[in-house]
Structures are given as C-alpha cells and as structure tokens.
Amino acid sequence: MKQVFRNIRSSFSIATRIFLMMNRKEKVLFFLFVTSAVLSAVSEGAGIGLFAQILSAQMNGNVFSDVPVLGNIEFLFEGLDVKERIERVAILLIFVVLARASLQYVVYAIGAILPIDIMKRMKLVAFNKLQAASYAYMQSRNIGGINTDIIMTTKNVHILVQHIGHVMSNIILLLFYAFILIALSPVITFFVILGMLIGSFVLKWLTEEKAKAAMQETLDADEVSISVLSSSSEGAKLVRLMNGQNVVKSKWKQSVDSYAEALFKQSLLTSIPYPFMMCYVGLLGGAGIWFMLLFSTSDPANWIVLILLFLAILLRMQGPVSVLNSSLNYIVTYSPALTQYDNFIKSVSEEVETGGGKDIVSFDNSIELKNVNFSYDGTNAHTVEGVSFSIPKGSFCAIVGSSGAGKTTIASLICRLYEPQEGSMFVDGQDLTKVNLESWRNLISVVSQDVFLFDDNLIENIRFAKDRSEEEVIEAAKIASAHDFISQLPNGYHTVIGERGTRLSGGQKQRIALARAVLADTPILILDEATSQLDSETENLIQQTIFELSKSRTIIAIAHRFSTIQHADNVIVMQNGRVKETGTHEQLMKCDGVYARLRKLQEFTN
C-alpha cells in the first residue's frame, strides 16, 4: 500500500517537472486534456445515471432521487410510465454515448499528440545545444553516449509522458466513480474500497517485483542485441576477411533468444492484472450480495437495485484501476530518463563554444601565434608548447614534423576547435578570442587526412553548407581532379556514397574534400595531410592545383610528404610540440637540421 502511494507521489512530482518544462502550446494542450478528461468522466456519470433510471423503472419508483448526479436527471422522467421512461433513456443514451466517444477521442488524441510534441521539442533542444557545444566536448564524449542522451532518453520521456496522461485521466474517472459510490452508500463504499486495496496489495505482492525484474531483463537483452547488431555491421569488413559470419550469427541468435525469452516473461506478468481485477471484482460483488443476504433485515427488493448498480460501477472501474497500476509502474521505470536528459542539457550547456562579438569579414594581414601552450587534458604535459610564428596573407606556409609533433593540433587551434591554455592568437592584429567564431570560420576551408563525408550524393557533399549551383560544383570538382572518377560512377554527381563515403577510396574522398574547399572559395586554406592517400599521378595533379590556389589564397599545409611543400614560402618544423626550425625548403636543407634529416629519411624509405 505504501508503495502505491509512493508511486503516486513520485508520478505527481515527475508530472510537475514536465509541466514546468512545457511551452505555451503544450500547456494549452495539457489543460484541454484535463478538461476533456473531466467532461468525459461527467458523461460517464450521465450514462450511469441513465442506467440507474432503468433500474428505478423496474422498481416503479425513484430509487436514486436523493443520490447526487443520479438524482439530478430525475426531472427528465417525471410523469412517465415504465415504457416511456425506457424509451427516453434509449434516446438520451445515444447522445450520451456520442458525447463520451467524442470526448474520449479528444483525450486519446491529445494524450498521443502532447508526448510527441514534447519529445520533438526535447530532441530539437538537445541537438541544437550539441551543435553549440565546443569541439573539445564532442571529443570527450563517445558517440554511443551522445546518441543515448538524445535519442533514447527523449524516447523514454515520450513513454513517460504517455503514462502520466493515462494516470491523470484514469484518476479523474476513478474519483468520479468513487463520488457516485459514496453518494449511494458510504458504508458499502468503504468496504468495497478496502477490498480493492487489499486486492491491489495482493496483485502487487504477486507480480510487481517479478515484473520489474522481467522488464530490466528485457532492457538488458535488448541492449545486448543492439550491441551485437552494431558491432557486426561496423566490423563487416573484419567479419568477412576472418570468415566470422557464423560467430556473429551465433551471437545474434543468442541475443535474440534472450530478448524473446525475457519479453515472454514480461508479457505473461503484465497480462495478469486485468483478468485478476475482473475476477476479484466479481468475487467482491458476489461476497457483498451474500453478506447482504445474511445480515440485512430488510426485503432484498429494497437493496438489490443498489447492489446491481454497485456491481456495474465496480466492473467499469476495473479497467481504469488496472491501467493506473500499470502506468504508475511504467512512470517509476522510465523516470530516470528525465533526469538523464536534464543532466545532458546541463553538461552540454556548460561546454558552449565561446567567441567574441566582433565580426571579421576579410583576412587582410596575418595570422600570428605567440607563446601558445596547449594540452588536450589541460595538464602540464603540453602537446604544443611555447609556439610562436606568423603567417602573412597570401603566403604558402608548411608545417612539418614527425607523428605526434603537434602539427594537426596547431591547425585545430587556428580554427579555434580548441582554446590554448596559455599564450595568444591574433588575426590581423585582433585577439582571436574576441572574434566571432562563425565569421572567422567563414574565412577558412580545411582538407584533412580523415575526410568525413555524409551518406548523401556527391553534389550535396561538395556543396555542404554552401549555396552553390550544380555547375559550380562540377567546376570545383574539375579543379580538384575529381570530375573524371565522379563521371564514371553509376549516377555521376547524384551517386549516394554511403555512410562516411564507404563506397569511395581514400584518395577519392580526399579529392572530394578538396573540391568542397575549392567551392567554398575562402581566403585561407588549411591542408592537413590532404594528399596522404593519393597515388603519384593524382598527387602531382593536386600539387599543381595547390600551387595555383596559393596564388590567390593563404595556404597552411601540414604534410609528411615533402614533395607537397617544396614551393612553400615558409616551412615550420615541429618536434615534441615545439618549433625547432623555420625557413624555406632550400634554407632548411642547407642547415642540415631536423628538416634535412626528415627529408633524407623519407627519400631513403621511398
């Protein structure tokens, strides 16, 4: 019994939280829902009142004239004989049934629309918050966790709101039933409610813990199934190369069997409440009649109508009682989703990308770094330490060094994907932290080694986030030496290339990324190992493209292949996060330092 009231209190608290987070439209829908539920309960009372009139007609009197609600419609039947009274009941019943059906439809419709609307808004809010978050935050989270926080939690909140609606509408109906029962006989109502509470306690004792365990078992099994499916799909290449299809099929069968078994147990347990309550109410009614026969001193004809009406109302109550019990359990089960969503919104809101309010519409002078220190975990173990250099407008600057030297980190800092812990960065003499991020990134295009492409056609991938015509896309692809291979694809530029561009080779993806950068036509172009996966012939073509682009753009090239940067105006050599050397290719070769050793080592390994 305590658990039932605890669940009701918990449900009320959760409903209050959800109501407070509703927008104006959702609150209007909520009040329409409550109003319709109340009117639906009133129409149910009118139906019971009409049923009472039939019973009264059988007694040739107004048995329920003193009963609130039931007696309020007696005036409609004054002066009518039994036949006329029943005829009028039949006519009125049509209108009552139509009214109740209409009101019930409104209740069900709003009960479906409101959770969907809340879920949709929560998803939009969460995704928009995520897009405003810093890249550092995105890198600190795993993709599965983010998907769960946005997709699964909002889905579970949708289920939660649905069941809160079920609880509210059924509580309103049950309160109305209870009011009528008390009006008929407070004493009998007391014993009936006591009996139903005992029945609810017995039902809880029989099923609640087992149902919870079965539901958790179902959720766990479902999670395992998703994991098996996801890993076997993502690892499709390895599975086939290792002939592991039978292994993953066995794991999949095991997970599906476990899920089906858990769901079977849950279904059996959740099927118990309705027939149990139906049987229990029947037994309760039978016991009540037997009790009245044994102990009542009045003629049964004086109270049999009362008992029949009681039984009719009790039978009508069993559905709402079962739904109420079930929905309260669902609310308790799914309530953590709301807290998880709130925690996600709070955490992502604390990691918003910070940018100044000053727009920058052009790049006129230089990019400058002064004593920049940075580490990914915020410790003193710097990935980049004491870095200072300047990149003049219109220059071709190359950044080289062995793996882990900090080259890509420098590019990320310039793009402001990360913020340095110490030091300053300037663009045209302005502190980069005071420049509007969107306006700064509008001046930059990046072609990286790890190219990301969307599961869309090539046109949309090349002109992503840019409003360009198909003719302009084709021209950019030609400049990036991508037009020929695109033309040979089944649907040309309209070919859908799969998730992350899985239907393209590494070199093809890099040429698409270069075409995207060419189409963006920004004054600053960052090439992060942009030719690492190209064959020699294509690399020569791309090098020529880069050379031509360098005449009209500022280029920052990060490269392992020194052939890409021989014509650079300045080469910055990184080692262990520090700038070790700077100069042109010829100057650095004459110094016979780090650059020269790396160059000779590459020639030897090639």
Side-chain angles (χ1 to χ4, degrees):
M1 189 62 201
K2 289 182 180 179
Q3 184 63 40
V4 174
F5 285 113
R6 191 180 296 119
N7 288 352
I8 291 175
R9 286 198 304 272
S10 176
S11 299
F12 179 78
S13 174
I14 293 166
T16 302
R17 286 175 62 189
I18 291 175
F19 179 78
L20 292 174
M21 65 181 285
M22 289 180 184
N23 59 23
R24 184 175 180 179
K25 172 191 170 185
E26 290 160 357
K27 287 179 179 177
V28 169
L29 285 173
F30 173 77
F31 284 118
L32 284 175
F33 175 84
V34 173
T35 302
S36 299
V38 171
L39 292 175
S40 177
V42 171
S43 66
E44 174 74 1
I48 293 173
L50 291 175
F51 177 68
Q53 290 304 315
I54 296 176
L55 294 176
S56 294
Q58 297 302 309
M59 299 297 296
N60 293 314
N62 297 326
V63 179
F64 304 103
S65 58
D66 296 329
V67 179
V69 180
L70 305 185
N72 292 342
I73 61 174
E74 288 281 357
F75 72 94
L76 295 173
F77 305 94
E78 290 179 356
L80 301 180
D81 60 26
V82 174
K83 182 180 179 182
E84 291 172 333
R85 181 177 289 200
I86 293 175
E87 286 177 349
R88 184 162 293 185
V89 167
I91 294 170
L92 291 174
L93 189 60
I94 293 173
F95 291 101
V96 170
V97 168
L98 288 174
R100 175 156 171 73
S102 300
L103 289 166
Q104 279 292 95
Y105 176 77
V106 173
V107 170
Y108 291 151
I110 297 177
I113 293 170
L114 185 57
I116 293 172
D117 197 77
I118 291 174
M119 178 185 68
K120 180 182 74 172
R121 185 171 56 81
M122 290 175 69
K123 282 187 176 181
L124 291 173
V125 169
F127 189 80
N128 291 341
K129 290 280 188 182
L130 188 65
Q131 295 311 304
S134 67
Y135 182 70
Y137 173 81
M138 298 289 290
Q139 292 296 96
S140 69
R141 295 289 310 275
N142 65 72
I143 300 301
I146 291 175
N147 288 344
T148 298
D149 286 339
I150 295 180
I151 303 298
M152 292 305 298
T153 57
T154 52
K155 178 182 176 183
N156 289 342
V157 169
H158 168 258
I159 296 172
L160 183 67
V161 176
Q162 276 186 319
H163 285 286
I164 287 174
H166 295 163
V167 167
M168 294 188 66
S169 61
N170 283 284
I171 282 179
I172 290 170
L173 186 57
L174 288 171
L175 287 174
F176 204 83
Y177 282 140
F179 174 75
I180 296 175
L181 290 177
I182 291 170
L184 286 171
S185 174
V187 176
I188 297 178
T189 301
F190 171 77
F191 285 107
V192 167
I193 292 176
L194 179 62
M196 293 192 74
L197 288 175
I198 293 172
S200 296
F201 176 79
V202 172
L203 181 62
K204 172 185 173 298
W205 178 73
L206 288 173
T207 64
E208 185 178 57
E209 292 303 319
K210 293 178 182 177
K212 283 184 179 179
M215 181 174 288
Q216 186 60 51
E217 190 177 340
T218 302
L219 293 172
D220 293 342
D222 191 27
E223 185 176 342
V224 172
S225 295
I226 292 172
S227 176
V228 172
L229 179 61
S230 177
S231 60
S232 62
S233 299
E234 292 177 4
K237 183 177 180 180
L238 175 65
V239 170
R240 280 147 186 80
L241 289 175
M242 298 294 292
N243 286 324
Q245 288 93 332
N246 288 334
V247 175
V248 294
K249 283 194 290 186
S250 176
K251 288 183 178 180
W252 176 248
K253 183 180 183 304
Q254 185 177 355
S255 69
V256 170
D257 286 344
S258 297
Y259 178 74
E261 184 179 348
L263 193 61
F264 178 71
K265 290 179 185 176
Q266 183 184 341
S267 298
L268 288 179
L269 288 166
T270 54
S271 298
I272 291 175
Y274 190 80
F276 175 87
M277 291 305 295
M278 181 184 291
C279 177
Y280 186 78
V281 168
L283 293 174
L284 200 62
I289 294 173
W290 180 76
F291 181 85
M292 292 291 287
L293 285 171
L294 283 180
F295 298 101
S296 177
T297 57
S298 62
D299 187 350
N302 294 329
W303 50 259
I304 192 64
V305 173
L306 182 67
I307 292 296
L308 288 174
L309 187 58
F310 250 87
L311 286 174
I313 295 174
L314 287 176
L315 289 172
R316 297 287 292 174
M317 288 178 69
Q318 64 183 352
V321 168
S322 297
V323 172
L324 183 62
N325 280 327
S326 177
S327 292
L328 287 172
N329 288 331
Y330 270 107
I331 289 171
V332 172
T333 301
Y334 285 98
S335 60
L338 188 60
T339 301
Q340 185 176 349
Y341 177 84
D342 287 342
N343 290 339
F344 171 74
I345 294 297
K346 182 179 178 181
S347 67
V348 77
S349 297
E350 292 172 351
E351 299 290 342
V352 175
E353 278 190 315
T354 56
K358 188 169 183 178
D359 288 337
I360 180 169
V361 296
S362 63
F363 174 52
D364 299 319
N365 296 306
S366 65
I367 300 169
E368 187 176 6
L369 275 68
K370 290 185 177 180
N371 298 315
V372 169
N373 292 340
F374 173 78
S375 64
Y376 286 99
D377 56 5
T379 65
N380 291 327
H382 294 132
T383 306
V384 168
E385 186 172 1
V387 170
S388 299
F389 60 79
S390 179
I391 303 173
K393 177 187 176 180
S395 66
F396 181 0
C397 177
I399 303 176
V400 302
S402 57
S403 296
K407 308 183 298 297
T408 297
T409 301
I410 291 292
S412 297
L413 289 169
I414 291 173
C415 295
R416 289 202 60 200
L417 293 175
Y418 298 99
E419 302 292 343
Q421 278 89 36
E422 297 175 1
S424 304
M425 299 187 295
F426 300 91
V427 56
D428 293 345
Q430 300 181 61
D431 188 340
L432 202 51
T433 60
K434 293 181 170 55
V435 171
N436 179 276
L437 271 175
E438 185 177 355
S439 68
W440 170 235
R441 288 174 184 163
N442 280 335
L443 303 177
I444 303 173
S445 296
V446 179
V447 182
S448 63
Q449 179 180 13
D450 183 22
V451 177
F452 184 89
L453 298 176
F454 295 92
D455 187 12
D456 205 339
N457 62 48
L458 286 164
I459 287 180
E460 298 305 323
N461 268 287
I462 293 174
R463 68 181 177 194
F464 174 70
K466 305 296 177 184
D467 185 16
R468 301 289 190 269
S469 67
E470 187 168 336
E471 291 72 22
E472 289 174 300
V473 170
I474 293 172
E475 185 60 31
K478 288 179 178 178
I479 294 173
S481 301
H483 177 71
D484 290 343
F485 88 79
I486 292 175
S487 300
Q488 295 173 8
L489 295 173
N491 296 308
Y493 283 84
H494 295 277
T495 302
V496 176
I497 57 175
E499 190 172 354
R500 297 185 67 90
T502 52
R503 297 171 191 169
L504 301 179
S505 68
Q508 289 173 332
K509 287 191 282 188
Q510 284 191 320
R511 279 178 276 173
I512 295 298
L514 184 58
R516 181 191 287 164
V518 170
L519 187 67
D521 194 25
T522 57
I524 303 169
L525 176 60
I526 298 177
L527 305 171
D528 186 0
E529 304 289 357
T531 63
S532 61
Q533 299 189 52
L534 300 178
D535 57 78
S536 298
E537 181 179 356
T538 305
E539 183 183 12
N540 290 331
L541 291 173
I542 297 300
Q543 286 175 4
Q544 184 61 35
T545 299
I546 293 172
F547 180 73
E548 292 298 323
L549 292 173
S550 67
K551 296 177 181 179
S552 58
R553 291 171 174 81
T554 302
I555 291 184
I556 304 171
I558 296 168
H560 277 113
R561 295 187 183 182
F562 288 85
S563 56
T564 308
I565 59 170
Q566 287 186 14
H567 301 293
D569 299 308
N570 187 37
V571 179
I572 299 170
V573 183
M574 300 285 297
Q575 187 178 52
N576 298 325
R578 293 177 172 272
V579 176
K580 298 299 291 184
E581 300 171 348
T582 60
T584 64
H585 168 72
E586 291 78 12
Q587 291 170 341
L588 293 171
M589 288 302 294
K590 288 179 182 178
C591 290
D592 196 27
V594 176
Y595 179 86
R597 288 198 299 273
L598 290 171
R599 171 79 180 189
K600 291 173 183 177
L601 179 62
Q602 188 172 105
E603 289 176 348
F604 176 76
T605 55
N606 287 341

